[in-house]
């Protein structure tokens, strides 16, 4: 247990020190840790045998902390459920992601090991992300839009303790009064209203370190924290270093490589982990000293320092244990689906080092050493924006989604006769009557057959319909086989995205010749699934009002 930190060199309550042969009274702070307090604290930290004798800890037990959150491994028998008895596969109810646990905490490190394929970390918002700005397709929107960012975060390092001694008239060297270092700055996240893009989020945030302690028992100032603001609807999940992800994805053998990630459960014997374990690459147990006048080599030859170091080593172990318990992040990540009432802590700053005032003992009257501050954390996260819309428009390229959204709402998406007119999501607001609440509809880039293999625009933008209460399938009656088009959309979205959502099929381009028979076949197919199907012609305005009413029902916002 650490003695209380001293905040001021001059206390309101002072004890008097009367010097021999003088009437001078020295103002030495009464709140300074006394020799007896320090000795008792260090004595409690000492490691003892069964007879109460203090044990010396061998230096060989000291090693630099090199633990990492993950390792890149070649696939082996441990990643195969047929050859690994400890293999557990589970699906998150929250994110629908599937995780493979390949080791239980009975392993020497005491962690669950998740085996994650390199393809699980998609750090491109679209197939065009790797192109230069010159060649990347442009949207006609005047507002810059970004729905995915990979962000490096670093919390502040703790300040070092101070080596200092009180200086008073008639006293050459007084008691030690070096203050503790300040804790490093923390990194926080907040979801705020009014933002609708991650465009303003930077790729790196670094919190400031704590200041070193000062003379007069003054603790260093805590490092300034970092608060990142993001739009409501942002999800945050941890990822390995982006440079390693990109390198592996370009490797021809990347399908045979996986990330083995250290995770922990709520309790030691849990079979399913809930948090990813982070590690600080700080100084090793028993290390991290700041010396004044004499170097470490000198002190290592002194019995009093070795005895002190053996006691403080247990304090270092406790500090590291506290870090291990706190430096964790949910496996499923954080979902900021509502505005934050207060900042959410992502990374905690390093603890400040002890000043020399803590090391005054019967054996050490002039401690000319203090402790370094602990390192901060540096981790990478994927910030992913999922637009908050009541309904999502899903269709093949050139199915008429943008034209429909333009006809029924105040949105003004780009309209054209070529594929992939929509290059970024658009949200439209639809108003019914004055006594009815409005609802929102998200138009996302078109989906093609094979999108789940990343063809066309891929499935990158489907994140924006995951929160919607309903899905509007937009099918063009001008195509050869509308039923097959709808089946393609169902296949590409997958059952997980369709479960629990209302569905409505809007058949566009009904004004074209020969579409009546096409609509009849489509309606019969939808009836078998219990889905409503409505024809319309957004270009001419035909049946648009009926579409709006059915959309309102699908959104769940239609009042009785």
């Amino acid at each position: 247990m650490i003695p209380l930190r001293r905040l001021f060199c001059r206390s309101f309550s002072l004890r008097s020190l009367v010097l021999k042969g003088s009437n001078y009274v020295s103002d030495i702070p009464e709140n300074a840790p006394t020799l007896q307090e320090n000795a008792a604290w260090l004595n409690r930290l000492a490691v003892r045998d069964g007879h109460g004798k203090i044990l010396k800890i061998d230096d060989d037990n000291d090693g630099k902390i090199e633990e990492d959150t993950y390792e890149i491994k070649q696939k082996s028998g441990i990643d195969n459920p047929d050859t690994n008895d400890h293999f557990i596969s589970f699906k998150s109810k929250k994110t629908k992601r599937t995780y493979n646990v390949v080791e239980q905490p009975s392993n020497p490190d005491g962690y669950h090991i998740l085996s994650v394929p390199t393809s699980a970390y998609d750090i491109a918002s679209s197939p065009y992300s790797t192109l230069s700005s010159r060649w990347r397709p442009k949207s006609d929107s005047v507002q810059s839009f970004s729905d995915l960012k990979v962000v490096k975060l670093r919390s502040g390092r703790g300040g070092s303790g101070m080596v200092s001694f009180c200086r008073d008239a008639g006293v050459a060297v007084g008691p030690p009064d070096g203050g503790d270092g300040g804790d490093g700055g923390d990194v926080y996240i907040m979801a705020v209203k009014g933002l609708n893009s991650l465009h303003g989020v930077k790729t790196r945030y670094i919190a400031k370190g704590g200041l070193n302690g000062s003379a007069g028992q003054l603790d260093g100032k805590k490092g300034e924290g970092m608060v990142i603001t993001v739009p409501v609807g942002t999800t945050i999940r941890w990822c390995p270093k982006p440079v390693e992800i990109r390198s592996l994805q370009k490797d021809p053998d990347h399908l045979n490589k996986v990330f083995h990630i250290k995770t922990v459960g709520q309790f030691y014997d849990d079979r399913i982990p809930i948090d990813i374990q982070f590690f600080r690459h700080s100084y090793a147990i028993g290390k991290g000293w700041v010396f004044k006048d004499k170097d470490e080599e000198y002190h290592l030859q002194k019995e009093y320092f070795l005895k002190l170091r053996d006691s403080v080593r247990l304090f270092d172990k406790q500090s590291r244990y506290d870090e291990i318990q706190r430096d964790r992040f949910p496996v499923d990540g954080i979902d900021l689906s509502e505005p934050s009432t207060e900042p959410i802590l992502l990374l905690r700053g390093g603890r400040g080092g002890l000043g020399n005032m803590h090391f005054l003992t019967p054996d050490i009257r002039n401690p000319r050493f203090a402790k370094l501050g602990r390192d901060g954390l540096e981790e990478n996260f994927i910030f992913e924006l999922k637009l908050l819309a009541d309904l999502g428009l899903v269709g093949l390229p050139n199915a008429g989604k943008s034209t429909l959204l333009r006809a029924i709402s105040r949105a003004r998406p780009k309209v054209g006769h070529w594929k992939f007119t929509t290059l970024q999501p658009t949200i439209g607001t639809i108003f019914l009557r004055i006594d009815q609440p409005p609802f929102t509809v998200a138009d996302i880039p078109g989906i093609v057959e094979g999108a789940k293999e990343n063809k066309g625009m891929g499935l990158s933008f489907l994140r924006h319909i995951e929160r919607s209460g309903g899905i509007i399938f937009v099918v063009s009656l001008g195509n050869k086989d509308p039923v097959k088009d709808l089946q393609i959309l169902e296949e590409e979205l997958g059952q997980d995205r369709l479960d629990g959502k209302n569905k409505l099929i809007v058949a566009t381009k009904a004004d074209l010749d020969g579409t009546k028979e096409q609509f009849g076949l489509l309606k019969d197919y939808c009836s078998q699934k219990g889905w409503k199907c409505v024809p319309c012609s957004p270009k001419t305005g035909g049946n648009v009002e009926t579409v709006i009413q059915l959309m309102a029902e699908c959104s769940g916002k239609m009042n009785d």
Side-chain angles (χ1 to χ4, degrees):
M1 181 177 180
I2 307 175
L4 292 176
R5 293 186 172 186
R6 278 61 182 175
L7 300 178
F8 304 99
C9 185
R10 300 303 183 202
S11 171
F12 289 106
S13 176
L14 304 176
R15 71 169 172 238
S16 299
L17 174 63
V18 181
L19 302 179
K20 280 188 177 181
S22 172
N23 292 326
Y24 173 74
V25 177
S26 174
D27 293 337
I28 297 177
E30 189 180 50
N31 64 347
T34 65
L35 182 150
Q36 291 79 11
E37 287 175 333
N38 280 334
W41 168 59
L42 292 169
N43 190 50
R44 288 195 298 272
L45 290 177
V47 179
R48 302 172 182 274
D49 62 13
H51 303 287
K53 182 180 178 182
I54 296 177
L55 296 175
K56 177 178 175 57
I57 302 178
D58 192 352
D59 288 345
D60 292 340
N61 291 331
D62 291 337
K64 184 170 177 60
I65 299 173
E66 294 289 357
E67 281 193 277
D68 292 309
T69 297
Y70 67 96
E71 294 180 284
I72 300 173
K73 296 282 190 177
Q74 193 78 17
K75 276 189 178 180
S76 62
I78 195 175
D79 302 290
N80 189 338
D82 297 330
T83 56
N84 182 3
D85 295 336
H86 299 287
F87 190 101
I88 297 177
S89 183
F90 69 97
K91 190 173 186 178
S92 168
K93 296 180 180 179
K94 180 180 178 182
T95 64
K96 307 298 183 183
R97 292 192 180 97
T98 300
Y99 300 98
N100 295 326
V101 183
V102 296
E103 284 188 26
Q104 292 293 325
S106 56
N107 64 66
D109 291 331
Y111 298 110
H112 298 85
I113 303 297
L114 287 186
S115 179
V116 181
T118 58
S119 59
Y121 295 105
D122 183 10
I123 56 177
S125 59
S126 80
Y128 303 120
S129 298
T130 57
L131 299 178
S132 67
S133 176
R134 178 181 178 183
W135 298 106
R136 191 177 304 164
K138 304 297 190 299
S139 170
D140 65 344
S141 173
V142 296
Q143 182 177 5
S144 298
F145 180 83
S146 177
D147 58 0
L148 188 143
K149 282 284 184 75
V150 180
V151 184
K152 177 184 289 186
L153 304 181
R154 185 191 303 168
S155 60
R157 177 174 182 163
S160 298
M162 180 68 175
V163 179
S164 175
F165 300 90
C166 276
R167 305 292 183 182
D168 286 294
V171 180
V173 179
D177 68 347
D180 298 343
D183 293 342
D186 304 324
V187 180
Y188 296 88
I189 191 77
M190 281 194 73
V192 298
K193 293 182 178 180
L195 298 178
N196 55 12
S197 171
L198 295 175
H199 180 72
V201 176
K202 297 186 292 186
T203 57
R204 184 171 65 173
Y205 290 91
I206 301 176
K208 293 185 177 179
L211 298 183
N212 296 337
S214 301
Q217 302 165 38
L218 291 176
D219 286 354
K221 181 181 178 181
K222 178 180 173 63
E224 184 178 349
M226 183 72 63
V227 180
I228 307 168
T229 56
V230 296
V232 177
T234 300
T235 62
I236 302 171
R237 59 190 177 106
W238 174 87
C239 71
K241 294 178 181 178
V243 64
E244 294 182 346
I245 296 175
R246 292 190 177 97
S247 176
L248 285 173
Q249 290 177 347
K250 293 178 182 178
D251 186 346
D253 193 41
H254 74 278
L255 295 178
N256 293 319
K257 293 183 179 179
V258 292
F259 292 105
H260 277 190
I261 303 171
K262 293 180 180 178
T263 56
V264 293
Q266 183 176 4
F267 302 102
Y268 179 81
D269 56 352
D270 286 350
R271 293 176 61 80
I272 303 299
I274 60 173
D275 291 322
I276 297 172
Q277 183 67 65
F278 294 156
F279 298 96
R280 299 170 188 261
H281 293 171
S282 198
Y283 56 80
I285 305 302
K287 304 293 184 181
W289 294 92
V290 178
F291 298 100
K292 184 177 181 180
D293 298 334
K294 304 293 185 179
D295 59 13
E296 183 176 13
E297 184 179 356
Y298 169 84
H299 284 88
L300 289 177
Q301 300 174 6
K302 303 299 180 181
E303 186 65 28
Y304 64 82
F305 179 76
L306 296 177
K307 181 180 177 182
L308 171 71
R309 189 188 60 169
D310 286 342
S311 295
V312 176
R313 186 179 280 115
L314 192 61
F315 169 77
D316 289 344
K317 288 184 177 180
Q318 181 63 49
S319 296
R320 185 167 183 269
Y321 175 80
D322 293 341
E323 292 170 352
I324 293 295
Q325 296 299 308
R326 298 182 304 180
D327 297 342
R328 297 174 177 177
F329 188 80
V331 170
D332 272 342
I334 298 175
D335 188 351
L336 302 174
S337 58
E338 296 181 356
S340 305
T341 56
E342 58 185 23
I344 300 172
L345 179 64
L346 291 182
L347 299 180
R348 194 183 302 270
R351 176 183 288 177
L354 299 176
N356 73 329
M357 64 179 179
H358 295 292
F359 304 124
L360 176 66
T361 70
D363 298 328
I364 307 173
R365 296 306 181 109
N366 296 302
R368 298 182 177 273
F369 40 78
K371 291 284 285 183
L372 290 170
R374 300 287 293 175
D375 283 357
L377 281 169
E378 180 176 298
E379 299 294 339
N380 296 279
F381 296 88
I382 298 175
F383 285 32
E384 189 176 11
L385 174 61
K386 299 180 180 180
L387 296 180
L388 301 176
D390 299 311
L391 297 172
L393 290 183
V394 179
L396 300 179
N398 206 25
K401 301 188 309 303
S402 297
T403 305
L404 176 64
L405 185 61
R406 189 182 183 96
I408 65 177
S409 74
R410 295 185 176 184
R412 288 296 177 264
K414 189 175 182 180
V415 177
H417 298 287
W418 56 91
K419 293 186 177 182
F420 300 120
T421 302
T422 302
L423 296 177
Q424 68 181 39
T426 303
I427 288 187
T429 303
I430 293 116
F431 294 87
L432 299 173
R433 303 189 306 268
I434 192 171
D435 61 334
Q436 294 283 355
F439 61 91
T440 55
V441 181
D443 175 25
I444 65 171
I447 298 172
V448 300
E449 187 174 8
K452 56 189 176 183
E453 278 79 39
N454 220 25
K455 291 183 180 179
M457 297 290 285
L459 298 177
S460 301
F461 291 109
L462 285 182
R463 64 175 68 96
H464 300 298
I465 66 170
E466 290 181 5
R467 301 183 190 276
S468 63
I471 296 179
I472 309 299
F473 288 103
V474 181
V475 180
S476 172
L477 294 177
N479 289 353
K480 183 178 180 180
D481 191 347
V483 174
K484 182 179 179 181
D485 292 347
L486 180 56
Q487 291 173 340
I488 290 174
L489 295 174
E490 294 179 64
E491 178 68 22
E492 297 302 330
L493 262 66
Q495 196 60 42
D496 285 342
R497 291 191 177 91
L498 297 177
D499 285 345
K501 294 185 184 296
N502 299 322
K503 291 98 175 173
L504 173 67
I505 286 71
V506 177
T508 61
K509 304 183 182 181
D511 57 314
L512 299 179
D513 294 336
T515 57
K516 185 176 181 179
E517 182 180 349
Q518 298 276 56
F519 176 71
L521 296 174
L522 180 63
K523 186 175 181 180
D524 290 342
Y525 177 79
C526 295
S527 298
Q528 296 174 12
K529 290 181 170 288
W531 299 346
K532 291 185 178 181
C533 182
V534 56
C536 74
S537 175
K539 188 175 181 179
T540 63
N543 216 26
V544 169
E545 289 300 323
T546 302
V547 171
I548 293 176
Q549 291 297 320
L550 292 175
M551 281 186 171
E553 293 179 9
C554 189
S555 71
K557 289 197 171 184
M558 176 69 79
N559 295 336
D560 296 332

